[in-house]
């Protein structure tokens, strides 16, 4: 027994060493990414002014004396209810090249930006960004805020007005287009590795939960998912891909997932460390904190963000010491599971404290705190999975020991009574029946999961408002039709349709009236475009697109003209009001010859739509590409 114990500890040491080297390699990778970003970009010197009293506009800010501005020595100014003004000066090394300005913090609510030619004092560009507006309104569709800098200007003064409920962070960098593309590729590779790893861990433990019905495996699966969503929200990935039009949820997502993450890690700690048996007092304390986190989860939808985020940080500060004390005390007493659990929590606590200090503006770190949080999450979930596996192994060994003892008792009883042999045979048959029954249940569950996934994929391709296919479906179908046109040498017509003055309808009659117009126009499209091979999609907002395979330009133009007339003649009723609207259409056709024409064909149709808008709207512009 002692030899087996020593062998297990030696194996654990090797595993811990491998995990340590893996975490170290990830840390070195993040340091390389940080250095790569610092070397390839320019971080202009920033000055800030906190607007504490009267309301200020840009002209008043421009007149502020230099002594009013303070140098921004920290990337984080902490949480403040007052707006902050920032200014920076950028001298273009080569005015003929294209530059981008990046604000590498996507949780700012409102950011107004003015770019001024320092020589002529003319405003050359203005932008309004922030996660308090839909993602589609960003100048560049990117997770963080990415803004083009006007070309052919030697010196640019940049002014920012930041109003946000969370931490005021302004990690601004300026890039050459080519340098940013290179860095962005490496950054997204690391992000992809992180989320791929977290998904793999979640799915693997989900299968364990599905097959063994082990509650701890299910809690671990939910914990990994919520932790991944916290990181995805911090990096703007969730806002871009999951809820780009839901401002309310974007503001509170970090609160929802953080509360769930804390509650789940507390429950996981209680189960793995068996605190209900080993420490009743710590068990009750952590349970109380867990229930407070669940209450905060629901309260986050009601109370202001600036109050709740402080509550979340407080829950982290309260729960972490109790969990660490529990794990360390058990680890000192020789528990191998507790030792791995302590190592996991040590890594997570270090990365979590780093991010917390940065968010509160208490300390600056040479590596981006979000990178450290991801490295800590990967290492912590790996160590936690090892602790979970060792816990399973320990339970399995206890079960095996009990089973061996039962078998020995049974063998001895068989020698005394022949009747026990028949009882054992009956029990064996029942066990085999249960195994077959569980296997069948798993096969049925997997089949139902596959059917549910197929249905979910189908529903995700439908625009919920109009019932038409959405842009995601269009992107896939467009590639398929391009390839078919090229393969079969048949013309493919692409039409881009846009409702005229749609914003005016929303402003005068409300968004519900606008929604009614969109649904009416979708019906008109369906009534006129009836071929099974044709595709109608809502591309975004009031813009629609139609793919007409094996259709030449004249046929496509005639069809679009019918749609234009039907739209013009249609009268939409909404709350006893009569709404009428028109549509502008750009349509083009071509027999695709190369893969490179994929973007160009759609871009040409979009250009024709723009020409139709310029020609007075309510018109169809059709040209061969």
């Amino acid at each position: 027994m002692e030899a087996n114990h020593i062998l297990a500890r030696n194996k654990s040491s090797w595993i811990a060493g491998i995990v340590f080297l893996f975490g170290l390699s990830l840390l070195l990778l993040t340091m390389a990414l940080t250095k790569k970003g610092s070397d390839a970009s320019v971080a202009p010197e920033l000055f800030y002014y906190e607007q504490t009293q009267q309301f200020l506009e840009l002209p008043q800010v421009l007149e502020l004396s230099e002594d009013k501005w303070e140098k921004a020595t920290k990337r984080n100014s902490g949480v403040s209810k007052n707006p902050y003004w920032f200014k920076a000066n950028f001298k273009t090394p080569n005015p003929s090249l294209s530059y981008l300005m990046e604000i590498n913090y996507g949780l700012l609510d409102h950011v107004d930006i003015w770019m001024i030619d320092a020589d002529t004092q003319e405003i050359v560009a203005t932008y309004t960004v922030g996660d308090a507006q839909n993602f589609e309104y960003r100048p560049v569709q990117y997770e963080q805020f990415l803004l083009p800098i006007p070309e052919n200007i030697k010196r640019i003064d940049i002014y920012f007005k930041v109003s946000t409920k969370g931490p005021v962070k302004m990690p601004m960098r300026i890039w050459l287009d080519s340098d940013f593309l290179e860095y962005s590729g490496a950054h997204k590779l690391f992000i992809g590795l992180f989320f791929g790893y977290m998904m793999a861990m979640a799915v693997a433990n989900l299968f364990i939960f599905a097959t063994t019905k082990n509650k701890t495996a299910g809690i671990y699966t939910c914990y990994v998912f919520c932790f991944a969503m916290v990181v995805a929200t911090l990096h703007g990935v969730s806002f871009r891909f999951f809820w780009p039009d839901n401002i309310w949820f974007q503001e509170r997502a970090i609160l929802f997932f953080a509360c769930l993450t804390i509650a789940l890690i507390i429950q996981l700690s209680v189960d793995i460390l068996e605190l209900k048996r080993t420490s009743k007092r710590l068990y009750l304390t952590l349970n109380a904190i867990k229930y407070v986190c669940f209450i905060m989860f629901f309260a986050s939808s009601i109370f202001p963000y600036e109050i709740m985020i402080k509550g979340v940080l407080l829950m982290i500060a309260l729960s972490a010491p109790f969990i660490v004390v529990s794990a360390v005390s058990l680890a000192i007493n020789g528990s191998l599971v507790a030792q791995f659990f302590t190592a996991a929590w040590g890594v997570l606590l270090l990365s979590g404290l780093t991010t917390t200090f940065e968010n509160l503006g208490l300390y600056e770190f040479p590596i981006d705190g979000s990178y450290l949080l991801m490295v800590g999450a990967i290492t912590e979930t790996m160590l936690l999975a090892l602790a979970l596996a060792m816990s399973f192994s320990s339970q399995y060994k206890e079960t095996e020991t009990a089973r061996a003892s039962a078998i020995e008792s049974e063998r001895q009883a068989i020698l005394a009574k022949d009747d026990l042999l028949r009882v054992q045979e009956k029990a064996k048959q029942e066990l085999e029946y249960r195994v077959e029954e569980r296997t069948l249940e798993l096969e049925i569950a997997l089949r139902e999961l596959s059917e549910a996934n197929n249905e979910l994929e189908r529903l995700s391709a439908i625009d919920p408002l109009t019932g038409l296919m959405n842009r995601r479906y269009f992107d896939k179908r467009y590639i398929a039709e391009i390839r078919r046109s090229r393969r079969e040498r048949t013309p493919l017509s692409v039409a881009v349709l846009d409702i005229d003055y749609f914003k005016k309808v929303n402003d005068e009659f409300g968004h519900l009236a606008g929604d009614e117009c969109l649904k009416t126009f979708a019906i008109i499209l369906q009534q006129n475009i009836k071929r099974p091979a044709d595709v109608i999609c809502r591309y975004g907002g009031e813009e629609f697109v139609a793919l007409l395979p094996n259709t030449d330009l004249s046929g496509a133009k005639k069809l679009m003209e019918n749609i234009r007339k039907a739209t013009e003649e249609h009268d939409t009723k909404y709350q006893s009001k009569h709404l009428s609207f028109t549509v502008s259409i750009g349509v083009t056709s071509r027999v695709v010859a190369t893969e490179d024409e994929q973007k160009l064909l759609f871009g040409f149709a979009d250009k024709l739509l723009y020409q139709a808008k310029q020609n007075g709207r309510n018109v169809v512009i059709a040209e061969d590409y």
Side-chain angles (χ1 to χ4, degrees):
M1 182 67 70
E2 183 66 25
N4 291 335
H5 188 66
I6 294 174
L7 183 61
R9 286 194 173 275
N10 289 335
K11 288 182 178 179
S12 301
S13 300
W14 277 103
I15 293 173
I18 292 172
V19 173
F20 172 77
L21 291 176
F22 179 71
L24 182 62
S25 65
L26 290 177
L27 190 61
L28 293 175
L29 178 59
T30 58
M31 292 177 65
L33 277 174
T34 304
K35 186 176 185 303
K36 184 179 181 66
S38 300
D39 294 342
S41 63
V42 176
E45 192 173 41
L46 274 176
F47 295 87
Y48 72 92
Y49 172 74
E50 184 178 3
Q51 180 180 309
T52 56
Q53 296 178 354
Q54 75 276 14
F55 178 77
L56 296 179
E57 294 285 359
L58 178 63
Q60 297 169 297
V61 173
L62 293 175
E63 294 175 358
L64 289 174
S65 60
E66 290 298 326
D67 60 342
K68 297 288 186 180
W69 295 92
E70 296 185 38
K71 186 175 180 180
T73 57
K74 298 188 296 182
R75 289 176 294 181
N76 190 330
S77 300
V79 178
S80 173
K81 63 181 180 180
N82 297 321
Y84 270 74
W85 287 85
F86 292 87
K87 71 173 182 177
N89 178 269
F90 175 60
K91 185 176 181 181
T92 310
N94 189 341
S96 63
L97 298 179
S98 297
Y99 291 87
L100 294 170
M101 184 182 75
E102 177 196 19
I103 302 175
N104 192 26
Y105 183 61
L107 297 183
L108 298 174
D109 295 340
H110 298 278
V111 184
D112 296 316
I113 302 156
W114 295 268
M115 296 185 181
I116 302 174
D117 188 328
D119 296 324
T120 64
Q121 293 301 305
E122 293 182 1
I123 298 177
V124 293
T126 60
Y127 300 100
T128 298
V129 295
D131 68 352
Q133 63 180 8
N134 289 356
F135 190 87
E136 62 181 329
Y137 295 122
R138 295 191 180 183
V140 179
Q141 301 293 291
Y142 189 71
E143 290 83 1
Q144 309 297 358
F145 304 122
L146 201 61
L147 308 168
I149 295 178
E151 298 180 8
N152 300 320
I153 298 177
K154 294 182 179 179
R155 292 188 305 118
I156 297 179
D157 291 330
I158 307 173
Y159 286 82
F160 311 82
K161 182 181 180 182
V162 180
S163 301
T164 186
K165 298 175 182 177
V168 180
K169 298 175 66 175
M170 185 55 66
M172 186 193 79
R173 293 186 289 185
I174 296 178
W175 304 78
L176 269 173
D177 278 1
S178 57
D179 290 340
F180 180 77
L181 287 175
E182 182 180 352
Y183 170 79
S184 179
H187 168 75
K188 288 187 175 180
L189 176 61
F190 182 77
I191 293 290
L193 289 173
F194 170 77
F195 287 112
Y197 167 82
M198 297 296 276
M199 182 179 296
M201 294 296 289
V203 171
N205 281 273
L206 179 62
F207 287 155
I208 294 175
F209 170 72
T211 54
T212 65
K213 306 301 180 185
N214 186 285
K215 182 188 73 171
T216 307
I219 294 172
Y220 180 83
T221 300
C222 297
Y223 164 71
V224 172
F225 171 77
C226 290
F227 203 154
M229 291 304 298
V230 169
V231 177
T233 303
L234 287 173
H235 280 268
V237 175
S238 55
F239 189 35
R240 179 178 183 181
F241 294 105
F242 300 145
W243 51 80
D245 301 323
N246 195 329
I247 305 302
W248 181 88
F249 191 77
Q250 168 62 13
E251 180 181 349
R252 294 163 173 79
I254 193 71
L255 300 175
F256 290 149
F257 290 113
C259 290
L260 289 178
T261 301
I262 299 169
L264 290 168
I265 191 60
I266 289 175
Q267 186 61 51
L268 200 61
S269 305
V270 168
D271 290 345
I272 292 178
L273 299 177
E274 299 179 348
L275 292 182
K276 190 174 183 179
R277 177 177 60 84
T278 58
S279 178
K280 192 73 173 180
R281 183 176 299 177
L282 285 173
Y283 167 76
L284 294 175
T285 303
L286 287 174
N287 255 356
I289 298 174
K290 179 184 70 176
Y291 290 124
V292 170
C293 289
F294 281 124
I295 294 173
M296 290 178 61
F297 171 80
F298 295 102
S300 296
S301 62
I302 303 173
F303 292 99
Y305 173 89
E306 56 270 27
I307 295 177
M308 297 307 300
I309 190 62
K310 294 178 181 178
V312 169
L313 296 176
L314 178 61
M315 290 300 101
I316 295 174
L318 287 176
S319 59
F322 287 111
I323 296 176
V324 171
V325 167
S326 305
V328 170
S329 61
L330 291 174
I332 293 174
N333 291 332
S335 171
L336 204 57
V337 174
Q339 290 173 8
F340 273 99
F341 192 85
T342 302
W345 253 95
V347 172
L348 180 63
L349 191 60
L350 180 62
S351 59
L353 288 175
T354 300
T355 305
T356 302
F357 287 159
E358 187 179 55
N359 282 334
L360 293 176
L362 301 177
Y363 194 75
E364 296 289 334
F365 292 89
I367 302 177
D368 192 332
S370 59
Y371 279 149
L372 286 176
L373 184 61
M374 285 190 286
V375 172
I378 292 175
T379 309
E380 184 261 351
T381 51
M382 185 177 294
L383 289 169
L384 208 56
L386 288 172
L388 195 61
M390 294 181 66
S391 177
F392 290 163
S393 176
S394 176
Q395 294 175 8
Y396 175 76
K397 288 179 180 178
E398 291 177 0
T399 303
E400 283 296 301
T401 302
R403 181 182 177 187
S405 176
I407 291 175
E408 178 63 21
S409 298
E410 185 178 359
R411 189 185 65 80
Q412 293 177 1
I414 288 174
L415 295 176
K417 295 182 179 181
D418 293 336
D419 291 342
L420 285 180
L421 182 61
R422 291 191 296 272
V423 173
Q424 183 184 20
E425 184 66 24
K426 182 179 178 180
K428 181 180 179 182
Q429 291 175 356
E430 289 178 355
L431 179 61
E432 290 175 350
Y433 173 76
R434 289 178 182 177
V435 170
E436 292 175 356
E437 186 178 26
R438 289 294 177 88
T439 303
L440 180 61
E441 289 175 358
L442 176 60
E443 291 174 353
I444 294 173
L446 290 175
R447 184 168 63 251
E448 290 176 349
L449 178 61
S450 177
E451 293 172 356
N453 284 338
N454 291 336
E455 179 65 14
L456 180 61
E457 184 174 358
R458 186 188 70 80
L459 292 176
S460 68
I462 297 176
D463 177 57
L465 177 63
T466 63
L468 300 178
M469 308 311 287
N470 58 20
R471 178 172 179 177
R472 177 183 176 187
Y473 177 82
F474 168 77
D475 290 339
K476 294 181 180 179
R477 187 63 179 273
Y478 179 59
I479 294 173
E481 294 299 341
I482 284 287
R483 292 174 178 172
R484 184 165 74 167
S485 173
R486 182 184 178 190
R487 182 176 61 254
E488 299 177 358
R489 306 301 298 165
T490 56
L492 172 64
S493 293
V494 179
V496 184
L497 309 91
D498 190 273
I499 298 176
D500 298 325
Y501 302 110
F502 184 74
K503 186 177 183 301
K504 184 177 180 181
V505 173
N506 282 335
D507 293 342
E508 292 184 4
F509 301 99
H511 288 278
L512 293 179
D515 290 347
E516 194 65 30
C517 290
L518 292 173
K519 289 188 284 187
T520 300
F521 184 63
I523 294 173
I524 293 173
L525 290 174
Q526 291 171 328
Q527 291 173 345
N528 286 272
I529 302 176
K530 299 180 179 180
R531 291 192 312 176
D534 294 340
V535 179
I536 318 168
C537 299
R538 183 184 178 193
Y539 195 73
E542 67 274 18
E543 191 170 295
F544 297 76
V545 63
L547 292 177
L548 308 173
N550 201 15
T551 304
D552 59 14
L553 185 63
S554 61
K557 181 179 181 182
K558 182 178 179 180
L559 179 60
M560 292 301 112
E561 188 64 32
N562 291 339
I563 292 173
R564 186 197 65 78
K565 290 180 181 178
T567 305
E568 184 180 26
E569 295 169 0
H570 194 278
D571 187 16
T572 303
K573 291 184 180 180
Y574 175 72
Q575 294 182 352
S576 73
K577 299 177 183 178
H578 294 274
L579 306 176
S580 61
F581 57 92
T582 60
V583 64
S584 297
I585 306 174
V587 60
T588 186
S589 180
R590 183 177 180 84
V591 177
V592 179
T594 65
E595 288 287 346
D596 295 336
E597 295 175 9
Q598 174 183 330
K599 292 184 179 179
L600 300 177
L601 185 62
F602 180 83
F604 187 70
D606 193 60
K607 180 180 179 181
L608 293 177
L609 170 64
Y610 180 72
Q611 184 178 344
K613 292 287 186 180
Q614 288 184 325
N615 288 355
R617 293 178 169 82
N618 191 23
V619 66
V620 178
I621 301 296
E623 291 182 17
D624 278 316
Y625 175 72

